[in-house]
Amino acid sequence: MSTKTDKIDRLAELTATAEVSTGNSLWVEAWRRLRQSKMAIIGASIIAVFVVLAVIGPWIAPYDPTAQLWRGEVFTNRNLFVGPRAENWLGLDHLARDEFSRLLIGARQTLLVGIVATLLGFSVGALIGGTSGAAATLGGRLGQRIDTVVMRVIDMMLALPSLLLAVTIAAVLGQSLTTVMIAVGVVQIPIFARLLRGAMLAQGGKDYVIAAQALGVRNRRVALGHVLPNSLSPVIVQATLSLATAIIEAAALSYLGLGNPDASEPEWGVMLAQAQEYFDSAPMLAVYPALGIIITALGFTLLGEALREALDPKLRS
């Protein structure tokens, strides 16, 4: 638990204390450095391709992803498969469904789960972390007590392995795509909460906060109008990195059978699970969705790391 929380607190502290010496705003400087970062360009390019394919997939997919294209004798024995050919670029799966079409359509579900889960974790986590951080910074003794109670609950959530917590939530709520979104989103909540709270604590001792208090500005206005906006940088960076984690965890839950109950609907985690039985005879059925998951997660990770370096001069290479 200490290792995970220390990393979160360190990211909050480093980003919150970043200063730009050129006179431009932090975000202007970050955008300039992002445009010059090869890592950011590669990550953004991967994400752009993934998003475009997810959006236009239903229109460019050559076949219905649930339709069986050939009911021949080859599918009586499920150890035989039709490989890549002119009419099926990636071949057919064990039920004679076009693999390329299923990958394209499956990208949309994967993107939807990742975005919704991250937005859920970001929204609830930022609300909890912002409230706790404001209470600890400007709320006096009562605020510090509230912050202590909230952080102990967050620490208990962080102490649990994320995948184990997600599996437990998904098993309790039942099998559905919505369940996967909720389970993955709940896992993200303590990370965002602790990160924003740490950044707000780092901002609480700044000169502008002390000056505002000396001028008689209300604590609520100081917290919402000054401390909170200046503490969002590490949370935004974490949101980008969490998209990669959300995609992997959603695929893992689908692989374990906790995702969409309709197994005919294409989703990369479900496709990976279905291919496991035929891995010896048709390993590419597992390789295709696995590569999709890995490359997409890599894109979000590269962009997140580049954004973190751009926002924090101490981390610039």
Side-chain angles (χ1 to χ4, degrees), residues 79-103:
N79 290 323
L80 299 176
F81 296 88
V82 175
R85 55 184 183 175
E87 55 267 46
N88 307 109
W89 293 353
L90 300 181
L92 305 178
D93 69 359
H94 62 290
L95 294 178
R97 298 171 298 192
D98 183 62
E99 189 73 5
F100 179 68
S101 300
R102 291 180 64 79
L103 278 176

PDB file of all heavy atoms in Angstrom, residues 79-103:
ATOM      1  N   ASN A  79     -10.994 -27.943 -34.961  1.00  0.00           N
ATOM      2  CA  ASN A  79      -9.549 -27.831 -34.964  1.00  0.00           C
ATOM      3  C   ASN A  79      -9.018 -27.329 -36.303  1.00  0.00           C
ATOM      4  O   ASN A  79      -7.821 -27.197 -36.486  1.00  0.00           O
ATOM      5  CB  ASN A  79      -8.900 -29.179 -34.636  1.00  0.00           C
ATOM      6  CG  ASN A  79      -9.124 -29.559 -33.185  1.00  0.00           C
ATOM      7  OD1 ASN A  79      -9.103 -28.710 -32.311  1.00  0.00           O
ATOM      8  ND2 ASN A  79      -9.358 -30.837 -32.939  1.00  0.00           N
ATOM      9  N   LEU A  80      -9.920 -27.076 -37.249  1.00  0.00           N
ATOM     10  CA  LEU A  80      -9.548 -26.566 -38.562  1.00  0.00           C
ATOM     11  C   LEU A  80     -10.134 -25.179 -38.748  1.00  0.00           C
ATOM     12  O   LEU A  80     -11.278 -24.936 -38.381  1.00  0.00           O
ATOM     13  CB  LEU A  80     -10.045 -27.505 -39.667  1.00  0.00           C
ATOM     14  CG  LEU A  80      -9.490 -28.936 -39.649  1.00  0.00           C
ATOM     15  CD1 LEU A  80     -10.140 -29.759 -40.745  1.00  0.00           C
ATOM     16  CD2 LEU A  80      -7.972 -28.917 -39.837  1.00  0.00           C
ATOM     17  N   PHE A  81      -9.355 -24.261 -39.322  1.00  0.00           N
ATOM     18  CA  PHE A  81      -9.801 -22.888 -39.469  1.00  0.00           C
ATOM     19  C   PHE A  81      -9.407 -22.368 -40.836  1.00  0.00           C
ATOM     20  O   PHE A  81      -8.434 -22.827 -41.439  1.00  0.00           O
ATOM     21  CB  PHE A  81      -9.179 -21.991 -38.385  1.00  0.00           C
ATOM     22  CG  PHE A  81      -9.613 -22.352 -36.997  1.00  0.00           C
ATOM     23  CD1 PHE A  81      -8.919 -23.298 -36.259  1.00  0.00           C
ATOM     24  CD2 PHE A  81     -10.725 -21.755 -36.430  1.00  0.00           C
ATOM     25  CE1 PHE A  81      -9.319 -23.640 -34.988  1.00  0.00           C
ATOM     26  CE2 PHE A  81     -11.136 -22.088 -35.160  1.00  0.00           C
ATOM     27  CZ  PHE A  81     -10.432 -23.033 -34.430  1.00  0.00           C
ATOM     28  N   VAL A  82     -10.184 -21.381 -41.315  1.00  0.00           N
ATOM     29  CA  VAL A  82      -9.855 -20.698 -42.556  1.00  0.00           C
ATOM     30  C   VAL A  82      -8.966 -19.518 -42.227  1.00  0.00           C
ATOM     31  O   VAL A  82      -9.360 -18.616 -41.483  1.00  0.00           O
ATOM     32  CB  VAL A  82     -11.129 -20.210 -43.266  1.00  0.00           C
ATOM     33  CG1 VAL A  82     -10.756 -19.399 -44.507  1.00  0.00           C
ATOM     34  CG2 VAL A  82     -12.004 -21.381 -43.649  1.00  0.00           C
ATOM     35  N   GLY A  83      -7.746 -19.521 -42.746  1.00  0.00           N
ATOM     36  CA  GLY A  83      -6.793 -18.454 -42.462  1.00  0.00           C
ATOM     37  C   GLY A  83      -7.008 -17.253 -43.352  1.00  0.00           C
ATOM     38  O   GLY A  83      -8.000 -17.162 -44.090  1.00  0.00           O
ATOM     39  N   PRO A  84      -6.101 -16.297 -43.304  1.00  0.00           N
ATOM     40  CA  PRO A  84      -6.219 -15.090 -44.130  1.00  0.00           C
ATOM     41  C   PRO A  84      -6.324 -15.423 -45.610  1.00  0.00           C
ATOM     42  O   PRO A  84      -5.613 -16.277 -46.122  1.00  0.00           O
ATOM     43  CB  PRO A  84      -4.916 -14.337 -43.821  1.00  0.00           C
ATOM     44  CG  PRO A  84      -4.505 -14.822 -42.475  1.00  0.00           C
ATOM     45  CD  PRO A  84      -4.926 -16.267 -42.416  1.00  0.00           C
ATOM     46  N   ARG A  85      -7.220 -14.743 -46.282  1.00  0.00           N
ATOM     47  CA  ARG A  85      -7.405 -14.901 -47.722  1.00  0.00           C
ATOM     48  C   ARG A  85      -7.945 -13.593 -48.274  1.00  0.00           C
ATOM     49  O   ARG A  85      -8.192 -12.647 -47.523  1.00  0.00           O
ATOM     50  CB  ARG A  85      -8.360 -16.061 -48.023  1.00  0.00           C
ATOM     51  CG  ARG A  85      -9.715 -15.957 -47.333  1.00  0.00           C
ATOM     52  CD  ARG A  85     -10.579 -17.166 -47.598  1.00  0.00           C
ATOM     53  NE  ARG A  85     -11.897 -17.023 -46.991  1.00  0.00           N
ATOM     54  CZ  ARG A  85     -12.884 -17.894 -47.156  1.00  0.00           C
ATOM     55  NH1 ARG A  85     -12.692 -18.988 -47.892  1.00  0.00           N
ATOM     56  NH2 ARG A  85     -14.053 -17.689 -46.582  1.00  0.00           N
ATOM     57  N   ALA A  86      -8.152 -13.527 -49.583  1.00  0.00           N
ATOM     58  CA  ALA A  86      -8.524 -12.270 -50.231  1.00  0.00           C
ATOM     59  C   ALA A  86      -9.828 -11.701 -49.681  1.00  0.00           C
ATOM     60  O   ALA A  86      -9.944 -10.503 -49.435  1.00  0.00           O
ATOM     61  CB  ALA A  86      -8.640 -12.485 -51.740  1.00  0.00           C
ATOM     62  N   GLU A  87     -10.821 -12.551 -49.478  1.00  0.00           N
ATOM     63  CA  GLU A  87     -12.124 -12.062 -49.009  1.00  0.00           C
ATOM     64  C   GLU A  87     -12.196 -11.909 -47.487  1.00  0.00           C
ATOM     65  O   GLU A  87     -13.095 -11.256 -46.973  1.00  0.00           O
ATOM     66  CB  GLU A  87     -13.254 -12.967 -49.498  1.00  0.00           C
ATOM     67  CG  GLU A  87     -13.090 -14.428 -49.144  1.00  0.00           C
ATOM     68  CD  GLU A  87     -12.393 -15.217 -50.230  1.00  0.00           C
ATOM     69  OE1 GLU A  87     -11.373 -14.737 -50.730  1.00  0.00           O
ATOM     70  OE2 GLU A  87     -12.876 -16.308 -50.563  1.00  0.00           O
ATOM     71  N   ASN A  88     -11.280 -12.532 -46.766  1.00  0.00           N
ATOM     72  CA  ASN A  88     -11.225 -12.406 -45.301  1.00  0.00           C
ATOM     73  C   ASN A  88      -9.774 -12.147 -44.909  1.00  0.00           C
ATOM     74  O   ASN A  88      -8.978 -13.073 -44.796  1.00  0.00           O
ATOM     75  CB  ASN A  88     -11.731 -13.680 -44.617  1.00  0.00           C
ATOM     76  CG  ASN A  88     -13.108 -14.097 -45.095  1.00  0.00           C
ATOM     77  OD1 ASN A  88     -13.245 -15.101 -45.806  1.00  0.00           O
ATOM     78  ND2 ASN A  88     -14.116 -13.330 -44.737  1.00  0.00           N
ATOM     79  N   TRP A  89      -9.435 -10.880 -44.698  1.00  0.00           N
ATOM     80  CA  TRP A  89      -8.042 -10.488 -44.529  1.00  0.00           C
ATOM     81  C   TRP A  89      -7.374 -11.167 -43.336  1.00  0.00           C
ATOM     82  O   TRP A  89      -6.186 -11.475 -43.394  1.00  0.00           O
ATOM     83  CB  TRP A  89      -7.953  -8.973 -44.360  1.00  0.00           C
ATOM     84  CG  TRP A  89      -8.337  -8.217 -45.595  1.00  0.00           C
ATOM     85  CD1 TRP A  89      -8.602  -8.744 -46.821  1.00  0.00           C
ATOM     86  CD2 TRP A  89      -8.483  -6.804 -45.726  1.00  0.00           C
ATOM     87  NE1 TRP A  89      -8.915  -7.758 -47.726  1.00  0.00           N
ATOM     88  CE2 TRP A  89      -8.849  -6.545 -47.077  1.00  0.00           C
ATOM     89  CE3 TRP A  89      -8.342  -5.729 -44.860  1.00  0.00           C
ATOM     90  CZ2 TRP A  89      -9.077  -5.259 -47.559  1.00  0.00           C
ATOM     91  CZ3 TRP A  89      -8.568  -4.451 -45.334  1.00  0.00           C
ATOM     92  CH2 TRP A  89      -8.928  -4.215 -46.664  1.00  0.00           C
ATOM     93  N   LEU A  90      -8.117 -11.385 -42.259  1.00  0.00           N
ATOM     94  CA  LEU A  90      -7.551 -12.044 -41.080  1.00  0.00           C
ATOM     95  C   LEU A  90      -8.134 -13.435 -40.873  1.00  0.00           C
ATOM     96  O   LEU A  90      -7.921 -14.044 -39.822  1.00  0.00           O
ATOM     97  CB  LEU A  90      -7.795 -11.183 -39.827  1.00  0.00           C
ATOM     98  CG  LEU A  90      -7.184  -9.783 -39.850  1.00  0.00           C
ATOM     99  CD1 LEU A  90      -7.485  -9.050 -38.543  1.00  0.00           C
ATOM    100  CD2 LEU A  90      -5.689  -9.837 -40.096  1.00  0.00           C
ATOM    101  N   GLY A  91      -8.846 -13.950 -41.854  1.00  0.00           N
ATOM    102  CA  GLY A  91      -9.421 -15.280 -41.752  1.00  0.00           C
ATOM    103  C   GLY A  91     -10.746 -15.287 -41.009  1.00  0.00           C
ATOM    104  O   GLY A  91     -11.350 -14.234 -40.740  1.00  0.00           O
ATOM    105  N   LEU A  92     -11.216 -16.504 -40.694  1.00  0.00           N
ATOM    106  CA  LEU A  92     -12.477 -16.700 -39.983  1.00  0.00           C
ATOM    107  C   LEU A  92     -12.200 -17.353 -38.636  1.00  0.00           C
ATOM    108  O   LEU A  92     -11.223 -18.092 -38.473  1.00  0.00           O
ATOM    109  CB  LEU A  92     -13.418 -17.593 -40.805  1.00  0.00           C
ATOM    110  CG  LEU A  92     -13.721 -17.150 -42.240  1.00  0.00           C
ATOM    111  CD1 LEU A  92     -14.624 -18.171 -42.914  1.00  0.00           C
ATOM    112  CD2 LEU A  92     -14.365 -15.769 -42.264  1.00  0.00           C
ATOM    113  N   ASP A  93     -13.068 -17.081 -37.673  1.00  0.00           N
ATOM    114  CA  ASP A  93     -12.882 -17.681 -36.357  1.00  0.00           C
ATOM    115  C   ASP A  93     -13.550 -19.051 -36.305  1.00  0.00           C
ATOM    116  O   ASP A  93     -13.970 -19.608 -37.334  1.00  0.00           O
ATOM    117  CB  ASP A  93     -13.395 -16.751 -35.254  1.00  0.00           C
ATOM    118  CG  ASP A  93     -14.915 -16.602 -35.270  1.00  0.00           C
ATOM    119  OD1 ASP A  93     -15.583 -17.195 -36.145  1.00  0.00           O
ATOM    120  OD2 ASP A  93     -15.433 -15.889 -34.389  1.00  0.00           O
ATOM    121  N   HIS A  94     -13.715 -19.624 -35.110  1.00  0.00           N
ATOM    122  CA  HIS A  94     -14.216 -20.989 -34.970  1.00  0.00           C
ATOM    123  C   HIS A  94     -15.688 -21.117 -35.353  1.00  0.00           C
ATOM    124  O   HIS A  94     -16.186 -22.225 -35.549  1.00  0.00           O
ATOM    125  CB  HIS A  94     -14.022 -21.464 -33.531  1.00  0.00           C
ATOM    126  CG  HIS A  94     -14.771 -20.656 -32.520  1.00  0.00           C
ATOM    127  ND1 HIS A  94     -14.414 -19.363 -32.210  1.00  0.00           N
ATOM    128  CD2 HIS A  94     -15.849 -20.954 -31.755  1.00  0.00           C
ATOM    129  CE1 HIS A  94     -15.245 -18.887 -31.287  1.00  0.00           C
ATOM    130  NE2 HIS A  94     -16.120 -19.827 -30.999  1.00  0.00           N
ATOM    131  N   LEU A  95     -16.403 -19.984 -35.469  1.00  0.00           N
ATOM    132  CA  LEU A  95     -17.803 -20.005 -35.894  1.00  0.00           C
ATOM    133  C   LEU A  95     -17.977 -19.373 -37.278  1.00  0.00           C
ATOM    134  O   LEU A  95     -19.071 -18.945 -37.623  1.00  0.00           O
ATOM    135  CB  LEU A  95     -18.678 -19.273 -34.870  1.00  0.00           C
ATOM    136  CG  LEU A  95     -18.776 -19.919 -33.492  1.00  0.00           C
ATOM    137  CD1 LEU A  95     -19.632 -19.068 -32.560  1.00  0.00           C
ATOM    138  CD2 LEU A  95     -19.343 -21.332 -33.590  1.00  0.00           C
ATOM    139  N   ALA A  96     -16.904 -19.331 -38.039  1.00  0.00           N
ATOM    140  CA  ALA A  96     -16.922 -18.820 -39.414  1.00  0.00           C
ATOM    141  C   ALA A  96     -17.304 -17.348 -39.479  1.00  0.00           C
ATOM    142  O   ALA A  96     -17.913 -16.897 -40.445  1.00  0.00           O
ATOM    143  CB  ALA A  96     -17.863 -19.659 -40.287  1.00  0.00           C
ATOM    144  N   ARG A  97     -16.936 -16.579 -38.464  1.00  0.00           N
ATOM    145  CA  ARG A  97     -17.191 -15.142 -38.471  1.00  0.00           C
ATOM    146  C   ARG A  97     -15.914 -14.410 -38.881  1.00  0.00           C
ATOM    147  O   ARG A  97     -14.816 -14.812 -38.513  1.00  0.00           O
ATOM    148  CB  ARG A  97     -17.665 -14.671 -37.094  1.00  0.00           C
ATOM    149  CG  ARG A  97     -18.976 -15.312 -36.671  1.00  0.00           C
ATOM    150  CD  ARG A  97     -19.321 -15.006 -35.228  1.00  0.00           C
ATOM    151  NE  ARG A  97     -18.313 -15.530 -34.303  1.00  0.00           N
ATOM    152  CZ  ARG A  97     -18.485 -15.600 -32.986  1.00  0.00           C
ATOM    153  NH1 ARG A  97     -19.621 -15.164 -32.432  1.00  0.00           N
ATOM    154  NH2 ARG A  97     -17.532 -16.084 -32.211  1.00  0.00           N
ATOM    155  N   ASP A  98     -16.078 -13.337 -39.654  1.00  0.00           N
ATOM    156  CA  ASP A  98     -14.930 -12.614 -40.175  1.00  0.00           C
ATOM    157  C   ASP A  98     -14.165 -11.950 -39.029  1.00  0.00           C
ATOM    158  O   ASP A  98     -14.702 -11.104 -38.296  1.00  0.00           O
ATOM    159  CB  ASP A  98     -15.393 -11.557 -41.171  1.00  0.00           C
ATOM    160  CG  ASP A  98     -14.222 -10.817 -41.805  1.00  0.00           C
ATOM    161  OD1 ASP A  98     -13.419 -11.470 -42.487  1.00  0.00           O
ATOM    162  OD2 ASP A  98     -14.111  -9.595 -41.590  1.00  0.00           O
ATOM    163  N   GLU A  99     -12.893 -12.310 -38.866  1.00  0.00           N
ATOM    164  CA  GLU A  99     -12.095 -11.829 -37.748  1.00  0.00           C
ATOM    165  C   GLU A  99     -11.790 -10.336 -37.866  1.00  0.00           C
ATOM    166  O   GLU A  99     -11.784  -9.616 -36.859  1.00  0.00           O
ATOM    167  CB  GLU A  99     -10.789 -12.628 -37.679  1.00  0.00           C
ATOM    168  CG  GLU A  99      -9.959 -12.384 -36.442  1.00  0.00           C
ATOM    169  CD  GLU A  99     -10.547 -13.019 -35.189  1.00  0.00           C
ATOM    170  OE1 GLU A  99     -11.570 -13.730 -35.306  1.00  0.00           O
ATOM    171  OE2 GLU A  99      -9.979 -12.792 -34.107  1.00  0.00           O
ATOM    172  N   PHE A 100     -11.551  -9.857 -39.066  1.00  0.00           N
ATOM    173  CA  PHE A 100     -11.248  -8.440 -39.261  1.00  0.00           C
ATOM    174  C   PHE A 100     -12.436  -7.573 -38.881  1.00  0.00           C
ATOM    175  O   PHE A 100     -12.284  -6.538 -38.207  1.00  0.00           O
ATOM    176  CB  PHE A 100     -10.849  -8.190 -40.720  1.00  0.00           C
ATOM    177  CG  PHE A 100     -10.528  -6.762 -41.034  1.00  0.00           C
ATOM    178  CD1 PHE A 100      -9.403  -6.159 -40.505  1.00  0.00           C
ATOM    179  CD2 PHE A 100     -11.359  -6.016 -41.858  1.00  0.00           C
ATOM    180  CE1 PHE A 100      -9.108  -4.827 -40.788  1.00  0.00           C
ATOM    181  CE2 PHE A 100     -11.073  -4.695 -42.150  1.00  0.00           C
ATOM    182  CZ  PHE A 100      -9.941  -4.095 -41.622  1.00  0.00           C
ATOM    183  N   SER A 101     -13.626  -7.974 -39.272  1.00  0.00           N
ATOM    184  CA  SER A 101     -14.835  -7.217 -38.920  1.00  0.00           C
ATOM    185  C   SER A 101     -15.051  -7.208 -37.415  1.00  0.00           C
ATOM    186  O   SER A 101     -15.441  -6.189 -36.833  1.00  0.00           O
ATOM    187  CB  SER A 101     -16.054  -7.813 -39.622  1.00  0.00           C
ATOM    188  OG  SER A 101     -15.913  -7.768 -41.027  1.00  0.00           O
ATOM    189  N   ARG A 102     -14.802  -8.322 -36.774  1.00  0.00           N
ATOM    190  CA  ARG A 102     -14.989  -8.397 -35.328  1.00  0.00           C
ATOM    191  C   ARG A 102     -13.983  -7.522 -34.580  1.00  0.00           C
ATOM    192  O   ARG A 102     -14.307  -6.928 -33.552  1.00  0.00           O
ATOM    193  CB  ARG A 102     -14.894  -9.857 -34.864  1.00  0.00           C
ATOM    194  CG  ARG A 102     -16.066 -10.704 -35.331  1.00  0.00           C
ATOM    195  CD  ARG A 102     -15.951 -12.143 -34.857  1.00  0.00           C
ATOM    196  NE  ARG A 102     -16.019 -12.231 -33.392  1.00  0.00           N
ATOM    197  CZ  ARG A 102     -17.138 -12.167 -32.682  1.00  0.00           C
ATOM    198  NH1 ARG A 102     -18.311 -11.988 -33.289  1.00  0.00           N
ATOM    199  NH2 ARG A 102     -17.107 -12.296 -31.374  1.00  0.00           N
ATOM    200  N   LEU A 103     -12.769  -7.432 -35.078  1.00  0.00           N
ATOM    201  CA  LEU A 103     -11.774  -6.554 -34.457  1.00  0.00           C
ATOM    202  C   LEU A 103     -12.187  -5.090 -34.571  1.00  0.00           C
ATOM    203  O   LEU A 103     -12.046  -4.315 -33.619  1.00  0.00           O
ATOM    204  CB  LEU A 103     -10.410  -6.760 -35.111  1.00  0.00           C
ATOM    205  CG  LEU A 103      -9.573  -7.950 -34.625  1.00  0.00           C
ATOM    206  CD1 LEU A 103      -8.302  -8.041 -35.451  1.00  0.00           C
ATOM    207  CD2 LEU A 103      -9.223  -7.805 -33.156  1.00  0.00           C
TER     208      LEU A 103
END
